[in-house]
Amino acid sequence: MQRDIGAVCALYPMPTTIVGAVADGRPNFLAIAHVGILNNAAPQYLTVSLKKFRHTSRAIRETGGFSICLPSVSMAVAADYVGIVSGDRVDKSGVFEVFYGRRGNVPMIRECPVNMELALHDVMDLPAHEVFVGELVATHVAEDCLRDGKVDLEKVRPLLFDYSSGWYFGLGEPVAPCWRAGRDHPAYAAAKGAK
């Protein structure tokens, strides 16, 4: 049996991300868990959803760019801090060591193992939120978090956010290989033979 619990989003946990943009001439950062991947072909587009009153929303609109930085579990306190204080009232430019990439105006965080640099492509206007669609310009990854030129999640140790419990989590052990585990399903052989 399954029980209807209403219109409750059950996609959590989500990766905690820190969105960066230049606001009032200085780097500003905001912790956000509401991010999305729109496609996996070039050009690639990612989204962040921010409440309309956010200081960072204005900054993204003004500069035309933003970053999505992926903090590790060791960064939980700093990530939470930049999510609970407003850049409108607090200067968050000194919380992290900042660097800039190809665009030159998108602040990223040296302590984050993964940083994605985006150019603003579009803004979707929802009743309480704005969804910023960014075109991925470049991904910057700490050398020690790469394996064969690809991001190694076990080394990144991303911080996960669970809205329903109000807790941050880390990754557990790998469960099964993507695009291969399904070959062990009893119906795989029959489906393969039907082609």
Side-chain angles (χ1 to χ4, degrees):
M1 293 292 293
Q2 297 232 345
R3 182 165 37 125
D4 181 342
I5 62 169
V8 174
C9 178
L11 291 178
Y12 296 99
M14 299 287 292
T16 300
T17 62
I18 300 173
V19 174
V22 172
D24 302 323
R26 63 181 182 248
N28 184 67
F29 298 99
L30 173 65
I32 292 290
H34 303 126
V35 297
I37 302 168
L38 295 184
N39 65 323
N40 66 353
Q44 189 161 5
Y45 296 96
L46 306 174
T47 62
V48 296
S49 177
L50 304 174
K51 289 184 180 174
K52 290 182 179 182
F53 65 83
R54 292 286 189 187
H55 187 63
T56 305
S57 298
R58 180 178 53 82
I60 293 171
R61 285 179 173 281
E62 289 176 359
T63 63
F66 61 99
S67 63
I68 299 175
C69 311
L70 190 62
S72 64
V73 294
S74 65
M75 297 178 67
V77 171
D80 196 62
Y81 170 74
V82 297
I84 62 175
V85 297
S86 172
D88 220 7
R89 294 184 301 276
V90 176
D91 179 0
K92 296 187 264 184
S93 63
V95 175
F96 306 109
E97 184 181 339
V98 177
F99 75 98
Y100 295 86
R102 294 182 190 181
R103 289 183 50 90
N105 70 340
V106 173
M108 291 174 278
I109 301 170
R110 182 98 38 216
E111 296 92 332
C112 284
V114 179
N115 293 273
M116 291 166 280
E117 183 179 4
L118 299 107
L120 181 60
H121 175 75
D122 200 1
V123 182
M124 293 171 44
D125 187 24
L126 300 177
H129 291 74
E130 293 176 303
V131 179
F132 294 90
V133 179
E135 181 178 337
L136 186 59
V137 172
T139 301
H140 306 266
V141 183
E143 285 285 341
D144 61 349
C145 290
L146 291 170
R147 181 184 297 167
D148 301 324
K150 296 180 181 176
V151 176
D152 184 334
L153 283 181
E154 289 182 89
K155 292 178 181 176
V156 169
R157 298 183 62 230
L159 181 64
L160 305 178
F161 167 76
D162 179 45
Y163 186 82
S164 61
S165 71
W167 280 87
Y168 292 107
F169 290 88
L171 288 179
E173 294 294 316
V175 175
C178 301
W179 304 291
R180 291 191 313 235
R183 295 175 189 175
D184 293 335
H185 192 278
Y188 178 77
K192 188 94 168 138
K195 288 185 179 184

